[in-house]
Amino acid sequence: MGKNVLLVDDSSTMRKIIGRSLRQAGISFDTIFEAGDGVEALAILEKEKIDIVLSDINMPNMDGITFLREKAQRDAIKDIPVLMISTETGDDIIGEAKSLGALGAIKKPFTPDKVNEVLGPLL
């Protein structure tokens, strides 16, 4: 059985770019789920078997930090790993994401090689 990934970003174009970068990096998933914000992401995590989440930080409705905080309080999904993909690179916000359970961060824009370098060891 393969792995499933959830891409969380308010830009559908960015979600497609991330999906393409995963394929170009040679990282394949059985299913790539997509969510436009943290609210949609939590709903998908409650229904589907997701192995890893790649999430933006700045999103409407529920941002990536609030998403991490909400996810951590739900026993059924709290252990699903999350990697942040964002334009945010400040130590304060990335540090906050890590303190809430994020495994790390990839800065936008990124290359398939960078995605593979950071994500590959996590799979």
Side-chain angles (χ1 to χ4, degrees), residues 15-35:
R15 292 192 304 266
K16 292 191 183 339
I17 289 170
I18 296 169
R20 185 174 58 231
S21 293
L22 291 172
R23 288 188 293 279
Q24 289 175 341
I27 301 171
S28 63
F29 291 95
D30 281 356
T31 304
I32 298 176
F33 292 89
E34 296 185 18

Side-chain angles (χ1 to χ4, degrees), residues 39-60:
V39 174
E40 291 178 17
L42 289 171
I44 291 172
L45 289 175
E46 296 282 353
K47 290 190 298 188
E48 305 291 343
K49 180 193 173 301
I50 303 295
D51 296 289
I52 192 163
V53 178
L54 306 180
S55 178
D56 191 10
I57 293 176
N58 295 317
M59 298 179 286

Side-chain angles (χ1 to χ4, degrees), residues 15-109:
R15 292 192 304 266
K16 292 191 183 339
I17 289 170
I18 296 169
R20 185 174 58 231
S21 293
L22 291 172
R23 288 188 293 279
Q24 289 175 341
I27 301 171
S28 63
F29 291 95
D30 281 356
T31 304
I32 298 176
F33 292 89
E34 296 185 18
D37 59 37
V39 174
E40 291 178 17
L42 289 171
I44 291 172
L45 289 175
E46 296 282 353
K47 290 190 298 188
E48 305 291 343
K49 180 193 173 301
I50 303 295
D51 296 289
I52 192 163
V53 178
L54 306 180
S55 178
D56 191 10
I57 293 176
N58 295 317
M59 298 179 286
N61 302 320
M62 181 185 289
D63 64 31
I65 297 298
T66 305
F67 163 69
L68 288 169
R69 192 171 289 121
E70 291 289 325
K71 183 179 105 29
Q73 295 179 8
R74 300 180 187 201
D75 287 341
I77 62 172
K78 69 180 182 184
D79 294 327
I80 299 171
V82 178
L83 184 65
M84 308 312 286
I85 295 183
S86 180
T87 56
E88 296 285 347
T89 58
D91 289 341
D92 54 343
I93 194 141
I94 297 301
E96 183 176 8
K98 287 181 178 177
S99 74
L100 292 168
L103 298 176
I106 297 174
K107 181 181 184 286
K108 295 177 188 174

Side-chain angles (χ1 to χ4, degrees), residues 105-117:
I106 297 174
K107 181 181 184 286
K108 295 177 188 174
F110 52 82
T111 64
D113 288 342
K114 183 64 175 178
V115 171
N116 192 32
E117 174 189 321

